[in-house]
Amino acid sequence: MQVILGRLISTTTLGIFIAYAYMRTNNVWLPVIIHFLHNTIVMLSLMNFASMEAPNGGVEYWHIIFVYVLILMVFFTPLLFSKVFRSKNVK
């Protein structure tokens, strides 16, 4: 359940940020680069944390997911209130 909720929140906040980047620059390559960098960072961090074993023999990700989702929400959710998303003119 934590993984689904974490994925939902992180995907939504990343989508907001990528939409903001596209609307600010009107260039599709910046969102592509942001998406690539995000996926690379997540993959490398999960590979690092997957090597850490929990005391019961399994790998516990809930605390990692919580911190990751919290960071995304803090940095990307305020973009919803920026001028770009409030404007009525959509190209």
Side-chain angles (χ1 to χ4, degrees):
M1 181 66 180
Q2 299 127 335
V3 175
I4 294 171
L5 184 60
R7 186 171 283 184
L8 176 68
I9 294 171
S10 66
T11 303
T12 302
T13 54
L14 184 66
I16 292 167
F17 179 65
I18 288 176
Y20 175 81
Y22 175 74
M23 292 172 79
R24 283 290 280 189
T25 63
N26 206 20
N27 184 352
V28 74
W29 289 108
L30 182 61
V32 168
I33 292 169
I34 291 169
H35 191 266
F36 171 77
L37 290 174
H38 174 266
N39 286 351
T40 303
I41 291 168
V42 168
M43 173 94 99
L44 292 175
S45 65
L46 286 179
M47 285 172 52
N48 184 33
F49 287 117
S51 64
M52 298 169 41
E53 294 219 6
N56 62 1
V59 178
E60 295 180 4
Y61 291 109
W62 66 267
H63 61 284
I64 300 165
I65 293 170
F66 177 74
V67 170
Y68 173 68
V69 167
L70 188 64
I71 289 169
L72 284 176
M73 288 177 64
V74 165
F75 285 108
F76 296 151
T77 304
L79 294 176
L80 281 176
F81 304 103
S82 69
K83 229 191 285 188
V84 172
F85 282 106
R86 285 184 296 173
S87 74
K88 304 284 185 204
N89 300 333
V90 180
K91 295 179 183 180

